[in-house]
C-alpha cells in the first residue's frame, strides 16, 4: 500500500528524534563536522527504496554521474557522442531509449570540443540536414552549446571557470561532453595516478556543481582488451563505461561497466555519408550521420606473430590456393600446411633463422589461430574461416 507524504514526514521526524536520542546517549555536545555527521546517521527502519529513476538516457546514462566512451582512433566516437547529445538536447528518445521530456531535466547540452576543427561543424551540419526534427527546438532554445576550445582539467582553474560560465545559463546543463580526455589534460600525464586523479576530481566538480552527467571521450590503449588508455583510476571513478568497436562497416557501442544498472546494452550503427556543400574548387564536401543497424558478431582480435601468420596464410592462399572436393572441406581455397609454413618463413615469423625456432613459432601461432576460430585444418590442408559479417 502506498504511503502519503504525511506518513513520510512522520517517519523523518521519528528518524531525527532517534538520532537525537542516540547522540545524547553517546555525548552531550557535538559541534562542527562531528555534529554534521551525526545528523546524517540513518537507522535501518528509515532506509527506504528509491524507485524514481534519475536517467538521462534510460538504461545507459544517469543524471549527475560520469561516463567514459572509448575506442580506437577513427572508430566513430565523436559521431556517437554528437548523435547522443543532439537527442538529449532535443528531448527526443535516443533510438528507442527514453530521454527525459520534462523541462527540468531536458537539455541543455554543452559539448567541449578540445580538438576543434571544422570537422565538428560539418558533422553538426550533416545532422541538421538529415534530422531537422532534432534541430527544430534545439536551435530556437539554445539547448546545444558548443565550446570549441581545449580545457586544462588537471588543475582546478578551468573546471571552476567553466562552472561559473555555465551558471549564466537559464537552465543547468543536463550533459557535458569532454572530447577528448587527451586534449583536456594540459601538461598532465594520463598514465599517472596523480594526474588522472586530478582530472577525476575536476570531473566530479563539474557534475556536483551543475548536476549534469559528464561524458569523457577517450582512446583505447595499445592492448584493447585492457580498456581505455592510461591510469585505471578513471575506470574506477566513472559510473558508466562504453566501448566502441568496429567490425567491417558496423560500429558497436557496448556498456562495459554500469555502477547501478545492468551492463548489457548494445547499440550498433553505420556512418552514412551526407552531402553538405561545395568547397572553393567546386568539389563536394561531405560528412556523415549515425544510422542504426543490427549488431554483428565480433571479429577475434589478433596481433603480433599471430597476425603475421594469418597474413602469411593469406599470401599462400592467393598463390597456391585451390578448392578441395568433399564434405569435409568448405567451398573456399585451401593450401597445404607446408605451403603455409614456407610462407611464414618468408614473412620472418620467428625471431631467428634457427629451424627449431621457426618450427616452434609456426606451431604456436597455428594453435593460437585455431583457438580463435580463424582457421581450420583437415587432412594436412588449412583454410581461413569465412567472416560471417561479410
Amino acid at each position: 500500500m502506498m504511503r502519503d507524504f504525511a506518513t513520510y514526514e512522520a517517519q523523518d521526524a521519528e528518524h531525527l528524534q532517534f538520532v537525537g536520542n542516540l547522540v545524547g546517549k553517546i555525548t552531550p555536545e557535538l559541534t562542527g563536522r562531528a555534529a554534521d555527521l551525526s545528523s546524517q546517521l540513518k537507522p535501518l527502519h528509515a532506509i527506504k527504496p528509491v524507485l524514481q529513476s534519475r536517467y538521462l538516457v534510460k538504461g545507459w546514462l544517469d543524471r549527475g554521474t560520469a561516463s567514459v566512451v572509448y575506442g580506437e582512433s577513427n572508430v566513430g566516437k565523436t559521431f556517437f557522442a554528437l548523435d547522443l547529445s543532439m537527442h538529449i538536447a532535443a528531448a527526443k528518445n535516443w533510438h528507442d531509449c527514453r530521454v527525459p521530456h520534462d523541462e527540468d531535466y531536458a537539455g541543455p547540452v554543452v559539448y567541449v570540443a578540445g580538438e576543434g576543427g571544422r570537422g565538428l561543424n560539418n558533422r553538426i551540419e550533416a545532422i541538421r540536414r538529415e534530422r531537422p526534427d532534432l534541430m527544430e527546438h534545439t536551435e530556437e532554445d539554445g539547448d546545444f552549446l558548443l565550446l570549441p576550445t581545449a580545457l586544462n582539467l588537471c588543475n582546478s582553474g578551468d573546471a571552476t571557470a567553466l562552472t561559473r560560465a555555465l551558471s549564466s545559463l537559464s537552465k543547468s546543463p543536463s550533459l557535458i561532453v569532454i572530447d577528448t580526455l587527451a586534449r583536456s589534460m594540459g601538461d598532465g600525464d594520463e598514465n599517472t595516478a596523480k594526474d588522472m586523479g586530478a582530472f577525476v576530481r575536476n570531473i566530479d566538480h563539474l557534475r556536483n556543481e551543475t548536476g549534469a552527467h559528464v561524458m569523457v571521450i577517450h582512446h583505447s590503449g595499445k592492448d584493447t582488451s585492457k580498456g581505455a588508455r592510461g591510469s585505471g583510476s578513471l575506470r574506477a571513478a566513472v559510473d558508466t563505461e562504453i566501448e566502441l568497436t568496429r567490425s567491417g562497416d558496423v560500429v558497436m557501442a557496448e556498456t562495459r561497466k554500469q555502477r547501478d544498472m545492468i551492463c548489457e546494452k548494445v547499440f550498433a550503427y553505420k556512418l552514412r555519408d551526407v552531402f553538405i556543400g561545395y568547397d572553393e574548387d567546386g568539389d563536394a564536401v561531405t560528412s556523415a550521420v549515425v544510422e542504426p543497424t543490427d549488431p554483428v558478431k565480433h571479429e577475434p582480435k589478433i596481433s603480433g606473430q599471430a597476425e603475421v601468420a594469418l597474413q602469411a596464410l593469406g599470401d599462400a592462399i592467393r598463390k597456391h590456393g585451390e578448392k578441395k572436393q568433399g564434405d569435409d572441406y568448405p567451398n573456399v581455397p585451401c593450401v597445404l600446411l607446408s605451403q603455409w609454413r614456407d610462407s611464414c618463413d618468408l614473412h620472418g615469423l620467428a625471431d631467428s633463422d634457427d629451424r627449431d625456432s621457426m618450427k616452434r613459432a609456426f606451431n604456436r601461432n597455428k594453435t593460437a589461430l585455431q583457438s580463435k576460430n580463424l582457421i581450420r585444418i583437415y587432412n594436412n590442408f588449412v583454410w581461413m574461416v569465412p567472416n560471417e559479417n561479410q
Side-chain angles (χ1 to χ4, degrees):
M1 182 176 68
M2 295 184 64
R3 297 174 178 171
D4 56 24
F5 287 108
T7 302
Y8 283 112
E9 288 177 357
Q11 287 179 343
D12 289 341
E14 179 186 355
H15 163 54
L16 291 174
Q17 181 64 43
F18 174 88
V19 172
N21 292 339
L22 180 63
V23 171
K25 291 177 182 178
I26 297 174
T27 178
E29 296 182 2
L30 288 175
T31 59
R33 180 63 169 161
D36 178 54
L37 292 176
S38 71
S39 69
Q40 297 182 53
L41 292 171
K42 183 176 287 190
L44 185 60
H45 72 267
I47 300 173
K48 305 300 178 184
V50 179
L51 302 181
Q52 184 176 6
S53 176
R54 299 168 55 247
Y55 69 85
L56 184 62
V57 179
K58 199 161 193 177
W60 287 82
L61 305 174
D62 277 345
R63 297 193 302 273
T65 61
S67 64
V68 59
V69 174
Y70 69 93
E72 297 178 342
S73 296
N74 299 317
V75 74
K77 297 183 289 292
T78 297
F79 284 108
F80 172 84
L82 268 179
D83 183 70
L84 189 71
S85 297
M86 287 298 182
H87 282 80
I88 293 172
K92 290 187 178 293
N93 291 347
W94 179 67
H95 308 296
D96 298 326
C97 296
R98 282 191 63 82
V99 168
H101 299 163
D102 190 303
E103 289 187 0
D104 292 336
Y105 301 126
V109 172
V110 177
Y111 200 104
V112 182
E115 297 186 355
R118 69 174 188 174
L120 197 67
N121 289 15
N122 289 355
R123 294 174 190 188
I124 292 173
E125 177 61 25
I127 297 174
R128 180 181 286 114
R129 289 170 177 257
E130 292 298 304
R131 292 296 307 273
D133 58 310
L134 296 180
M135 296 290 183
E136 183 178 358
H137 298 295
T138 305
E139 290 189 308
E140 292 177 3
D141 300 336
D143 280 340
F144 181 90
L145 298 165
L146 179 65
L147 182 60
T149 189
L151 298 177
N152 182 352
L153 295 180
C154 262
N155 60 45
S156 60
D158 275 4
T160 301
L162 180 58
T163 55
R164 291 182 61 189
L166 296 181
S167 68
S168 65
L169 300 178
S170 59
K171 293 189 294 183
S172 295
S174 61
L175 173 66
I176 300 173
V177 179
I178 307 296
D179 187 359
T180 61
L181 181 146
R183 294 301 299 269
S184 304
M185 291 290 290
D187 293 329
D189 183 353
E190 66 187 36
N191 294 302
T192 67
K194 178 182 177 182
D195 289 344
M196 190 65 86
F199 179 87
V200 168
R201 286 191 294 274
N202 282 312
I203 293 301
D204 288 343
H205 175 79
L206 289 175
R207 64 186 184 84
N208 289 333
E209 291 296 315
T210 64
H213 179 100
V214 179
M215 173 181 285
V216 179
I217 310 302
H218 196 20
H219 297 284
S220 299
K222 291 182 179 179
D223 185 350
T224 55
S225 66
K226 294 182 179 179
R229 193 173 68 191
S231 170
S233 57
L234 176 65
R235 184 178 196 276
V238 298
D239 303 273
T240 299
E241 196 176 43
I242 301 171
E243 181 183 22
L244 269 58
T245 56
R246 185 187 299 277
S247 294
D249 61 348
V250 176
V251 180
M252 289 193 292
E254 301 176 77
T255 52
R256 298 303 186 196
K257 175 188 176 182
Q258 288 285 26
R259 195 181 302 279
D260 295 316
M261 291 180 280
I262 297 175
C263 190
E264 61 177 12
K265 296 296 183 180
V266 179
F267 171 60
Y269 62 95
K270 295 181 179 181
L271 294 177
R272 178 167 55 82
D273 285 344
V274 175
F275 168 79
I276 60 173
Y278 295 98
D279 67 10
E280 66 277 12
D281 297 320
D283 296 324
V285 177
T286 63
S287 187
V289 293
V290 166
E291 188 170 79
T293 188
D294 294 327
V296 297
K297 183 178 178 182
H298 279 293
E299 297 177 1
K301 296 179 181 179
I302 60 170
S303 60
Q305 287 187 335
E307 187 174 15
V308 173
L310 194 63
Q311 291 173 347
L313 177 57
D315 287 350
I317 288 173
R318 281 188 289 274
K319 187 174 182 179
H320 305 291
E322 58 176 305
K323 293 182 180 180
K324 303 293 293 180
Q325 300 298 318
D327 295 337
D328 296 312
Y329 297 98
N331 188 32
V332 296
C334 309
V335 294
L336 289 166
L337 282 172
S338 59
Q339 292 171 324
W340 179 25
R341 188 165 51 243
D342 291 342
S343 182
C344 284
D345 293 344
L346 291 173
H347 277 259
L349 180 64
D351 295 330
S352 74
D353 294 332
D354 178 72
R355 294 305 303 174
D356 288 340
S357 297
M358 296 167 71
K359 182 177 180 180
R360 285 194 298 269
F362 175 77
N363 288 332
R364 181 172 61 251
N365 289 286
K366 177 183 68 175
T367 301
L369 293 173
Q370 281 180 294
S371 68
K372 290 182 178 292
N373 197 34
L374 291 172
I375 65 169
R376 288 279 193 278
I377 298 174
Y378 179 76
N379 196 25
N380 211 35
F381 280 91
V382 58
W383 60 90
M384 290 184 177
V385 175
N387 187 344
E388 296 178 4
N389 298 331
Q390 296 178 347

